[in-house]
């Protein structure tokens, strides 16, 4: 009797070990595809769009783009060869005419000279007129070599009267030399995302340079990138307040450090007194560039940035003002803020090899899920965008088809994207709403053990 009992016991132990081995083999088989590859699979996504959002085909999108361009041409007639109107808050281009064509930019260059001086210098710094500075052509301050000035005074000379010798004084003081300062200007341009812009002078005088490798460089930019620099100056720079104060000053008087001479400056940005809400601006002219203008305007909480290149040549000095007015009026009339935020519709995501946990407790063997959730406060559930009446924003929810366990609560699992004209303008992260543990060897061992005990119990 005891002998038979021992045999049954041995069979039970043997069966349990076989079951555990089979369970372990099964557990290993589902690991064939690496976890990293699973999480990087972004080719399979689910897309949800609210009824109010656009679902146009690519053909429809192209047609809409052409119609928008035609509307712009009808509503805005410009003298300028290149022009851009930009949303100051987002950097989105609202109007564009040959915005990416490289052209000379004349004294609009000086917005970069000014912002670098503000960010890297001290208002009380003393700058000395060098031989190079004194030799600059008109328009110039006209101080002799060796004359000393405070940096804060020179910035008014730079931005109000657009003095070319002042730009060289500032460049030599901040960058050690004109060449050193040009390197700083170009680096700042790259930091701001300007890939076509080339700064060779701090004052904007036309210049072409042949490098030792035979490559030719020309001082210039595009209307789009000039607007990007201006947007930084008035919206993002840590010295934006100082920049705005200088460029909005109607007139300014100062003297040299020794007090031997007095100098007066008058702001040549005529729109400061002609347009309500104008924040800042800088004019420019050279024979190569023609008339250019860059400016910022605020209206009913909206900030517009414009850049105009090649807006006529003498005697058409007023073309740039007409172009600027037309662009600003176009922006104010056509674009208004709308709140396009919508609560996203998200479905549960299967968590492979996860231990299923539902609302009423743990159910062995069931599939595991997580629910993607936004972690936004109530005041953050808004997305105000400057839009034309006929523009539509698409909301796209990007999620993987499945996840691999383990998953931690708060883990990033996807994004809610808002797209305008096919470009993402805002993205919100989606997180897992719960922890999901992995079905590891111990889990399968327990399951096999439970099933074995259930079977032996039934036999009894």
């Amino acid at each position: 009797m005891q002998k038979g009992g021992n045999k049954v016991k041995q069979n039970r132990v043997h069966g349990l070990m076989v079951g555990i081995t089979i369970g372990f083999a099964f557990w290993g088989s589902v690991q064939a595809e690496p976890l990293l590859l699973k999480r990087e699979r972004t080719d399979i996504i689910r897309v949800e769009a609210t009824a109010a959002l656009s679902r146009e085909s690519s053909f429809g999108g192209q047609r809409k783009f052409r119609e928008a361009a035609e509307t712009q041409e009808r509503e805005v007639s410009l003298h300028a060869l290149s022009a851009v109107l930009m949303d100051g808050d987002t950097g989105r281009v609202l109007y564009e005419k040959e915005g990416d064509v490289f052209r000379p930019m004349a004294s609009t260059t000086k917005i970069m000279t000014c912002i670098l001086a503000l960010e890297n210098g001290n208002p009380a710094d003393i700058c000395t007129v060098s031989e190079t500075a004194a030799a600059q052509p008109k328009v110039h301050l006209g101080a002799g070599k060796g004359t000393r000035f405070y940096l804060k005074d020179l910035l008014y000379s730079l931005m109000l009267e657009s003095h070319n010798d002042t730009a060289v004084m500032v460049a030599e003081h901040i960058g050690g030399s004109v060449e050193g300062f040009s390197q700083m200007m170009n680096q700042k341009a790259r930091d701001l995302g300007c890939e076509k812009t080339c700064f060779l002078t701090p004052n904007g005088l036309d210049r072409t340079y042949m490098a030792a490798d035979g490559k030719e460089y020309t001082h210039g930019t595009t209307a789009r990138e000039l607007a990007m620099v201006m947007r930084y100056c008035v919206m993002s720079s840590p010295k934006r307040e100082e920049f705005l104060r200088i460029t909005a000053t109607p007139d300014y008087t100062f003297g040299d450090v020794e007090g031997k001479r007095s100098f007066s400056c008058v702001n040549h940005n005529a729109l400061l007194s002609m347009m309500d809400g104008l924040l800042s601006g800088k004019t420019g002219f050279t024979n190569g560039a023609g008339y250019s203008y860059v400016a910022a305007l605020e209206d009913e909480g909206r900030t517009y940035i414009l850049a105009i290149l090649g807006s006529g040549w003498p005697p058409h000095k007023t073309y740039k003002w007409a172009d600027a007015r037309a662009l600003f009026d176009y922006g104010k009339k056509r674009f208004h803020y709308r709140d396009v935020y919508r609560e996203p519709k998200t479905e549960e995501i299967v968590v492979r090899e996860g231990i299923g946990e539902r609302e009423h407790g743990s159910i062995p063997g069931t599939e595991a899920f997580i629910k993607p959730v936004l972690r936004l406060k109530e005041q953050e559930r808004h997305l105000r965008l400057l839009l034309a009446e006929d523009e539509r924003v698409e909301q796209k929810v990007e999620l993987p088809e499945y996840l691999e366990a383990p998953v931690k609560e708060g883990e990033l699992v996807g994004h809610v994207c808002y797209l305008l004209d096919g470009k993402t303008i805002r993205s919100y992260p989606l997180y897992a709403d719960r922890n999901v543990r992995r079905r590891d060897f111990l889990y399968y061992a327990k399951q096999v053990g439970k099933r074995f005990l259930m079977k032996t119990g039934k036999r009894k």
Side-chain angles (χ1 to χ4, degrees):
M1 186 75 177
Q2 187 176 0
K3 201 171 181 180
N6 288 337
K7 188 173 182 181
V8 171
K9 187 175 181 180
Q10 288 174 356
N11 288 339
R12 287 181 177 177
V13 172
H14 177 70
L16 178 61
M17 294 303 296
V18 169
I20 290 175
T21 302
I22 293 172
F24 181 70
F26 172 76
W27 174 69
S29 69
V30 298
Q31 295 297 306
E33 187 173 353
L35 177 62
L36 181 62
L37 293 180
K38 293 280 188 177
R39 288 194 181 276
E40 287 188 346
R41 286 181 61 177
T42 56
D43 54 319
I44 303 175
I45 61 174
R46 292 198 290 273
V47 178
E48 293 286 350
T50 63
L53 303 179
S54 174
R55 291 178 177 271
E56 294 185 355
S57 66
S58 59
F59 175 78
Q62 293 171 4
R63 182 179 61 191
K64 181 179 176 182
F65 179 80
R66 289 196 301 271
E67 290 174 351
E70 291 170 1
T71 299
Q72 287 183 344
E73 290 179 5
R74 287 195 304 270
E75 295 187 16
V76 185
S77 178
L78 301 178
H79 302 284
L81 299 177
S82 293
V84 157
L85 181 69
M86 181 177 286
D87 175 10
D89 287 332
T90 65
R92 184 169 77 96
V93 173
L94 307 175
Y95 173 91
E96 185 170 21
K97 177 183 178 182
E98 296 194 9
D100 285 324
V101 176
F102 182 87
R103 300 186 190 281
M105 56 182 146
S107 286
T108 58
T109 296
K110 291 173 177 133
I111 64 171
M112 179 64 90
T113 303
C114 182
I115 204 67
L116 284 179
L118 287 170
E119 292 180 353
N120 295 277
N122 187 303
D125 288 352
I126 295 177
C127 306
T128 304
V129 180
S130 67
E131 186 175 347
T132 302
Q136 295 301 302
K138 291 183 177 181
V139 175
H140 57 210
L141 185 61
K145 178 183 176 182
T147 309
R148 302 191 304 162
F149 297 94
Y150 291 110
L151 178 61
K152 66 179 179 65
D153 295 327
L154 289 180
L155 295 183
Y156 287 91
S157 165
L158 178 78
M159 300 305 287
L160 274 58
E161 288 286 353
S162 199
H163 289 143
N164 292 318
D165 50 354
T166 295
V168 172
M169 279 187 265
V170 171
E172 290 175 338
H173 176 73
I174 300 296
S177 65
V178 168
E179 293 73 23
F181 190 73
S182 294
Q183 291 179 7
M184 293 176 65
M185 298 172 83
N186 286 311
Q187 183 57 56
K188 190 68 172 183
R190 300 298 172 267
D191 293 343
L192 298 178
C194 302
E195 298 298 330
K196 294 184 177 181
T197 300
C198 177
F199 287 108
L200 296 178
T201 72
N203 48 28
L205 293 177
D206 296 331
R207 187 187 175 197
T208 297
Y209 166 73
M210 183 72 71
D213 60 1
K215 188 174 181 179
E216 188 175 84
Y217 296 88
T218 299
H219 185 89
T221 187
T222 69
R224 180 191 291 263
E225 294 190 358
L226 182 59
M228 290 166 62
V229 176
M230 186 62 165
R231 176 174 176 251
Y232 172 76
C233 292
V234 301
M235 303 293 291
S236 307
S237 170
K239 296 295 184 178
R240 61 178 295 273
E241 295 295 336
E242 291 88 336
F243 181 89
L244 289 171
R245 182 172 60 252
I246 292 169
T247 55
T249 298
D251 53 76
Y252 187 80
T253 300
F254 66 97
D256 59 3
V257 172
E258 286 73 24
K260 294 179 179 179
R261 291 185 62 186
S262 179
F263 301 86
S264 295
C265 300
V266 176
N267 200 324
H268 290 267
N269 181 10
L271 290 192
L272 277 173
S273 59
M274 295 166 60
M275 288 198 77
D276 292 338
L278 199 79
L279 299 174
S280 178
K282 183 71 189 75
T283 60
F285 173 79
T286 63
N287 290 329
Y291 292 107
S292 57
Y293 184 54
V294 59
L297 179 139
E298 187 176 52
D299 179 76
E300 296 180 352
R302 302 167 294 179
T303 303
Y304 299 98
I305 310 292
L306 68 73
I308 296 168
L309 297 175
S311 185
W313 273 257
H316 304 297
K317 191 173 184 178
T318 61
Y319 278 2
K320 62 181 178 293
W321 306 129
D323 284 350
R325 277 185 172 278
L327 278 177
F328 281 140
D329 287 343
Y330 171 80
K332 290 190 289 183
K333 177 182 175 182
R334 182 167 170 77
F335 295 94
H336 301 275
Y337 277 112
R338 298 209 314 262
D339 192 343
V340 298
Y341 179 85
R342 300 289 184 275
E343 286 296 325
K345 296 179 181 179
T346 59
E347 299 176 3
E348 292 179 327
I349 303 176
V350 174
V351 181
R352 291 187 176 182
E353 283 305 294
I355 300 175
E357 293 184 6
R358 311 304 286 172
E359 292 183 7
H360 300 293
S362 178
I363 307 174
T366 61
E367 268 193 316
F369 298 87
I370 63 98
K371 177 75 173 176
V373 294
L374 287 167
R375 291 189 165 185
L376 297 176
K377 298 176 182 177
E378 185 58 36
Q379 61 268 29
E380 296 174 324
R381 295 177 185 269
H382 298 279
L383 179 55
R384 293 177 71 246
L385 295 176
L386 202 57
L387 298 169
E389 187 176 349
D390 58 347
E391 288 185 306
R392 296 292 179 266
V393 175
E394 178 188 7
Q395 183 197 71
K396 184 168 69 172
V397 179
E398 297 181 342
L399 293 169
E401 187 180 23
Y402 58 85
L403 295 170
E404 286 283 353
V407 175
K408 293 183 178 180
E409 180 182 354
E411 181 177 334
L412 179 67
V413 295
H415 292 87
V416 179
C417 300
Y418 287 83
L419 294 88
L420 181 61
D421 296 330
K423 297 179 180 178
T424 300
I425 52 177
R426 184 66 61 88
S427 178
Y428 297 99
L430 287 167
Y431 302 98
D433 68 332
R434 71 195 75 173
N435 293 313
V436 177
R437 292 184 294 120
R438 182 171 182 76
R439 296 180 181 180
D440 55 13
F441 174 76
L442 184 60
Y443 169 84
Y444 280 108
K446 288 181 179 179
Q447 295 304 310
V448 171
K450 287 179 182 179
R451 291 181 182 179
F452 179 77
L453 293 175
M454 287 173 65
K455 286 182 180 181
T456 55
K458 287 180 181 180
R459 289 174 185 172
K460 289 181 179 180

